[in-house]
Amino acid sequence: MTTQTTAPETPSAPAADTARTGLVPMPEHIGRALATGGGVLTLAATFLAWTWTSDFPGDLTVYGYPGGLQVLVLIGAALTILLALSSYGVKGLRWLTPAGADGAIKLAALGTAGTALYAVIAISAKLGGVVNLEPGGYLVAAGSLVALTGALALPFERPEPDPIDPDDSGWEHFKHKAARLRAIVKANFATGTPRPVGTLPSYAEILIIVGVLALGLTVFTYGIGTEYDELFIGFLILAGFSFAALNKSGLIAHASQITSRHQSITTFGAFLAAAVFPFTQSDDQYATLGVYILIFATVALGLNIVVGLAGLLDLGYVAFLGVGAYAASLVSGSPNSPFHVHFPFWAALLVGAAASLVFGVLIGAPTLRLRGDYLAIVTLGFGEIFRITANNLDGTSGPDLTNGSNGVSSIPNLKILGFDFGLPHDIAGFTIGRFANYFLLMLLITAVVVLVFRRSGDSRIGRAWVAIREDETAAQAMGINGFRVKLIAFAVGACLAGLAGTVQAHVTYTVTPEQYLFASSTPPNSAFLLAAVVLGGMGTIAGPLIGASLLFLIPNKLQFLGDYQLLAFGLALVLLMRFRPEGLIPNRRRQLEFHDEADAPAVLSKTGA
C-alpha cells in the first residue's frame, strides 16, 4: 500500500517577486558585482594623489598615504565592500547584516559617493577648475559612481507580515501565534542555558560593548577635532549615511540589545570613555567645546524628565538654567554680587539647585493645571519674564541684584580641596588645562543627573509620569494625582538644570540675560534644548545626550556658512525627522508609534534577524 504525500499549500506572494527590483534596471548579480568592484576601485583611488598642489587643506598630493577627505572616502569604501561581501554570504561577515544587506549597501555607497564627489567639487571650486585634479581625483569619482550605480540596482525588500489563512477566525489566528510563541520559549529552555538562543556569552558581549564605546569615542574625537570646514562637511556626509547603513543592516539594533542586557556596564563604560577624551587633546581648544556640550547635554537630560517622561511641553526651560547660574554666581565671590560672600563649591551648588527647584515649584504650582498648548504658552512666557527681570534688576529699573544687562562678571574659578580648576595640572604625564578640568567636573555632574533620571524613571513616580504622558484622564481615573505628579517632574527637572547652571557660571566667568533666550543662533536656549530631546529620543538616557552633542557641535562647526548656517542646519533637522522621526536613540514604544506593522518586526526584532 502506497501513500502519496503532498506539500502543504502556501499562499502565493507575487508581490514579493515584483518587489525585488532596484532603481537601475540591471540584473541583481551584476549590480552586486558593480557595487563590490566600484568599492574596491574607490578604495584604491584613496592611495593616489587627488590634486597637484597642497593649497587645498589636507595635502591630497601624496601617493600611498591617504589624508584628510581621502581617509573618509577610504572608510566609506571599506564599509561598502564589507557589506557587499556579506551579501554574498562570505563566512565571518554575515554578522554585519542580520537584517539584510541590500538596503545597507545602498546607503553606504551613497555616503561614499557623496563624500567623494563633494571632495572633487570642493577641490575644483577652491583651486579654480577640474584641471587641478590628479588621476586619483577622477578615479575616485568614477569608482564611487560605479559602486552607487550597482547598489541602486539591488532590490528593495520590505518585511512581509506572517501569512494568515483567510478561513481562520481571529481566535484561531491568535491560538496559532500563541502556539508559535510557546514553541520558541520551550526551545529556549531546552538548550539548558540561561541566555536566549543565538546570543553570545557574557564576556563576548562585554567586549562588544567596549568596542562600540571605543568606536564612539574615536568618531566623536575625530568630528570635534576636524581642522577645516571641508573636512567637517565630508565627515557629516559619511557619518550620517554610515549610521543609516548600519541601522538598516540591523547591526545597531543588535548592538542596542546587547547594551540593554548590560546597562550598568554600558553606562560605566560610556562615562569612562568620556573621561578619556581630555587626555586625547593636546590643548584646551576642543576641551572647551566638550565642556559646553556636557552642560547643554545635562540640561537636555533634565528637560527629558519634563517632556520625555511626563509629557509636559516646557518652552522656557532654559530659564531654570539661568536661575541656577545667577544664584551660584551671586554667592561665589564675584565683585559684582551685592552679597559679597564666597561660598565653597558644594554650598554654591546646593544654592543653585535649590533656587531652581523653588522657582520650578513657584512657576509650576499655578500653571500645571493647564494642558497642551496653554501650558506651552505659559512656560514660554516664564522664560521671557525671567530674562526681562534679570535685565531690570540693575539698580535703576529695580533693585541692584543682577547688574542688569552687564550681568554678574569676574566669577572666580572653582577650588575643591585645594584643586584649582583654573590652572593646568599634570595627571599621569598628561597636562590637563582649565576647560579639561571643568569637563571632568561636569562629567561627574552629568553622572549624577543620569543616576537621578534612571532611578526616577524606574520608580513608582516614574511610571506615574509615563501614565500621565500617555493619557492623563485615564491615569487620574486609576487614582494618580496628576497635578502632584506633574509638579514633582517640574521641580526635579528644574533642580537638575540648576546643577548645570552652577558649573556654567564658573566656566563662562560671566552670567548675562542674553545667554538665556528662547531661540538664538547658538545653544543653549529653550528651542535647541527641546530639539535635542526630540531628535535624540524622548524618554531615553542616551538620546538627549547624543542629540545635545550634535546640536551643539554642528552649529559651532558650520559658522563658516554665515547667514546660511541656520538654513543648512534646519534642512538637516528636517531630513532627520523625515527619515528618523522616533529619534536617534528611541525606546520601543516610540518605534511602534512611528513605524507601520510591516516595519515593526525589523525595527523591534530581538534577534536582529
Side-chain angles (χ1 to χ4, degrees), residues 150-457:
L152 294 179
L154 298 179
F156 287 94
E157 293 181 331
R158 297 179 66 86
E160 297 291 339
D162 293 337
I164 300 175
D165 189 347
D167 295 331
D168 285 345
S169 63
W171 173 247
E172 292 295 330
H173 179 57
F174 172 77
K175 289 195 298 183
H176 173 66
K177 299 284 285 186
R180 290 182 58 193
L181 180 60
R182 286 196 300 270
I184 294 174
V185 173
K186 184 178 180 180
N188 289 343
F189 279 104
T191 60
T193 58
R195 63 180 187 271
V197 176
T199 58
L200 296 172
S202 296
Y203 71 87
E205 293 187 339
I206 293 174
L207 289 177
I208 291 175
I209 292 173
V210 172
V212 170
L213 294 176
L215 178 62
L217 176 63
T218 302
V219 172
F220 177 77
T221 304
Y222 186 90
I224 201 173
T226 47
E227 300 175 352
Y228 49 93
D229 304 331
E230 292 85 357
L231 184 61
F232 182 72
I233 293 180
F235 169 78
L236 281 184
I237 296 173
L238 182 66
F241 281 102
S242 297
F243 176 84
L246 295 177
N247 180 67
K248 191 71 173 178
S249 71
L251 197 60
I252 289 181
H254 195 59
S256 299
Q257 292 156 15
I258 293 176
T259 57
S260 66
R261 289 195 288 268
H262 306 276
Q263 289 187 359
S264 298
I265 294 177
T266 303
T267 303
F268 176 78
F271 279 100
L272 185 62
V276 172
F277 169 72
F279 296 94
T280 64
Q281 307 299 310
S282 57
D283 53 38
D284 259 2
Q285 179 181 0
Y286 300 119
T288 306
L289 287 178
V291 67
Y292 285 122
I293 287 173
L294 275 183
I295 293 173
F296 187 32
T298 303
V299 180
L301 190 58
L303 178 61
N304 197 25
I305 292 179
V306 180
V307 177
L309 293 182
L312 305 174
L313 184 56
D314 188 351
L315 298 183
Y317 187 77
V318 73
F320 297 124
L321 176 68
V323 170
Y326 266 106
S329 65
L330 292 175
V331 297
S332 294
S334 170
N336 300 118
S337 171
F339 302 117
H340 303 292
V341 294
H342 192 173
F343 287 5
F345 170 68
W346 64 267
L349 191 70
L350 292 178
V351 169
S356 295
L357 187 147
V358 170
F359 270 84
V361 173
L362 292 178
I363 299 302
T367 61
L368 287 178
R369 300 187 187 277
L370 301 174
R371 297 186 185 182
D373 298 339
Y374 300 101
L375 177 63
I377 293 172
V378 170
T379 54
L380 175 61
F382 163 65
E384 291 300 301
I385 289 172
F386 164 76
R387 184 179 61 83
I388 295 172
T389 302
N391 250 324
N392 290 335
L393 297 180
D394 57 356
T396 302
S397 302
D400 186 8
L401 184 62
T402 64
N403 202 24
S405 59
N406 294 324
V408 181
S409 59
S410 302
I411 302 172
N413 284 302
L414 288 175
K415 291 183 179 180
I416 301 178
L417 300 177
F419 186 90
D420 192 338
F421 282 76
L423 300 176
H425 299 273
D426 291 330
I427 301 177
F430 295 90
T431 300
I432 304 299
R434 176 180 183 271
F435 285 101
N437 295 330
Y438 280 108
F439 178 89
L440 295 175
L441 175 64
M442 196 61 223
L443 188 62
L444 182 61
I445 301 293
T446 306
V448 173
V449 175
V450 168
L451 179 64
V452 171
F453 183 93
R454 184 174 177 180
R455 293 299 184 185
S456 61

